[in-house]
Amino acid sequence: MNMPAMERMKTPRALVIAALLAVYVIWGSTYLGLRFGLRGFPPLMLNGFRFLIAGSLLLVYLKIRGAGPVTARQLWNAARMGLILLIGGVGLVTIAESLGVGSGVAASAVAVIPVWSALISGLFGTWPGRREWTGLLIGLAGVLVLAQEGDFQASPGGMALILISPIIWAFGSVWGTRLDLPDSTTTTTIELLSAGAVMTLVGPLLGERITSAPPAEAWIALGYLAIMGSIVAFSAYIFLLKTVRPALATSYAYVNPVVAVALGLTLGGETVTGPILIALPLILLGVALVATGGRRVSEDESQPQPIGDLREEAA
């Protein structure tokens, strides 16, 4: 039995469930949080500040806890993974929202992350099974329908970013499971600090400016995104990547749209149109098939395992 499998067997099911709930609910709310934050901060600087705050707090925690040493290789790997996930994933979504894409629409489009994770896993030797392929086609059909939604029609640039972001995030998630990384908290800290530093520096170089004092709601959103979105939920996600398979870790993507649409309608004053009402069920069905379908295994794996089976992953 390989080491990752041994680690999964030792992980209490309650911790896995708690981590899944964190990424399901909290990340579903961060799409609306980004929208409020953008009322006072430009997109790259908003995320840069958010990640630096969260990373700094975690660094203090690590110092108090007395974290173990980190090798240069682990530091480099975690920094690269952070840049891919947080800039290529979160950063592009935030820019898309700044271009007019609504929070519910953004979350619905990003719901195809498990679809891309399944395909990218195939490039590393684990191809989707028949049920997963069905889910891939249904999920992609949902994205095509979603592309007809008003927010996308008004912002083709935002649409392009929203479609690219899940691919980058999925690649980082799958690729990251193969890297030599430190413990989950240390990995999260390095990723947040590296991405936060780059985004904070690049934002002004690309012309981002804060021309007036941000309103209270923007500051509240920044604090929420830093504490809940980055420290709590992102730490939970890194924990899941190290203890369960990528398909289960990315399954949050088909719950987030429900949370995001509900919050967008109730707190954000957003509206939904016909395309999203058709696209959302298609996307949810597609990624659910991907998450629960069987998979083909590479030659060095002996037992096929249903993607997303919590009993298999956390027992």
Side-chain angles (χ1 to χ4, degrees):
M1 181 179 297
N2 56 32
M3 186 59 66
M6 293 177 65
E7 292 178 357
R8 287 196 294 267
M9 292 181 64
K10 294 178 182 178
T11 303
R13 180 183 299 183
L15 288 179
V16 174
I17 293 175
L20 286 171
L21 288 175
V23 295
Y24 284 174
V25 178
I26 295 174
W27 270 355
S29 67
T30 56
Y31 292 93
L32 185 60
L34 289 172
R35 179 181 170 188
F36 284 124
L38 288 169
R39 295 178 180 178
F41 301 95
L44 291 178
M45 295 177 69
L46 170 63
N47 280 313
F49 295 158
R50 161 194 179 184
F51 297 146
L52 284 178
I53 292 171
S56 298
L57 291 174
L58 284 177
L59 184 61
V60 172
Y61 167 75
L62 289 174
K63 292 294 185 181
I64 295 174
R65 193 188 70 177
V70 177
T71 67
R73 180 185 180 88
Q74 290 175 329
L75 179 63
W76 172 237
N77 286 340
R80 288 188 296 167
M81 187 176 173
L83 295 179
I84 291 174
L85 290 177
L86 298 176
I87 297 179
V90 180
L92 294 186
V93 170
T94 309
I95 294 173
E97 288 200 38
S98 73
L99 295 176
V101 176
S103 60
V105 176
S108 300
V110 174
V112 295
I113 285 176
V115 173
W116 289 113
S117 294
L119 287 174
I120 293 171
S121 292
L123 299 179
F124 288 100
T126 305
W127 286 102
R130 182 178 303 173
R131 184 171 181 173
E132 290 175 294
W133 279 116
T134 302
L136 296 179
L137 294 176
I138 294 175
L140 291 176
V143 173
L144 292 177
V145 174
L146 186 64
Q148 307 306 311
E149 213 278 336
D151 285 350
F152 282 162
Q153 293 292 316
S155 177
M159 175 184 174
L161 294 177
I162 283 292
L163 295 180
I164 295 171
S165 173
I167 302 175
I168 298 175
W169 181 275
F171 171 78
S173 298
V174 175
W175 175 68
T177 63
R178 298 172 174 268
L179 297 177
D180 175 23
L181 297 168
D183 65 88
S184 297
T185 304
T186 303
T187 297
T188 302
T189 303
I190 296 171
E191 291 179 352
L192 289 170
L193 289 175
S194 60
V198 171
M199 297 175 91
T200 302
L201 292 173
V202 171
L205 292 177
L206 295 180
E208 290 191 349
R209 297 288 186 274
I210 299 176
T211 57
S212 60
E217 61 187 13
W219 285 108
I220 294 173
L222 176 61
Y224 180 81
L225 291 169
I227 302 300
M228 299 302 294
S230 297
I231 293 180
V232 178
F234 190 63
S235 296
Y237 183 64
I238 296 301
F239 165 78
L240 289 170
L241 287 179
K242 294 171 91 52
T243 54
V244 302
R245 290 168 51 203
L248 179 57
T250 58
S251 64
Y252 71 87
Y254 57 81
V255 179
N256 284 175
V258 179
V259 177
V261 169
L263 291 177
L265 291 173
T266 57
L267 299 179
E270 297 180 359
T271 59
V272 295
T273 59
I276 193 174
L277 295 177
I278 298 173
L280 184 56
L282 287 175
I283 292 173
L284 296 182
L285 174 60
V287 295
L289 289 173
V290 171
T292 60
R295 68 186 181 105
R296 297 178 183 178
V297 298
S298 55
E299 294 181 358
D300 59 343
E301 295 177 298
S302 58
Q303 295 294 331
Q305 190 174 13
I307 290 180
D309 191 337
L310 186 57
R311 292 171 302 178
E312 295 270 343
E313 300 290 354

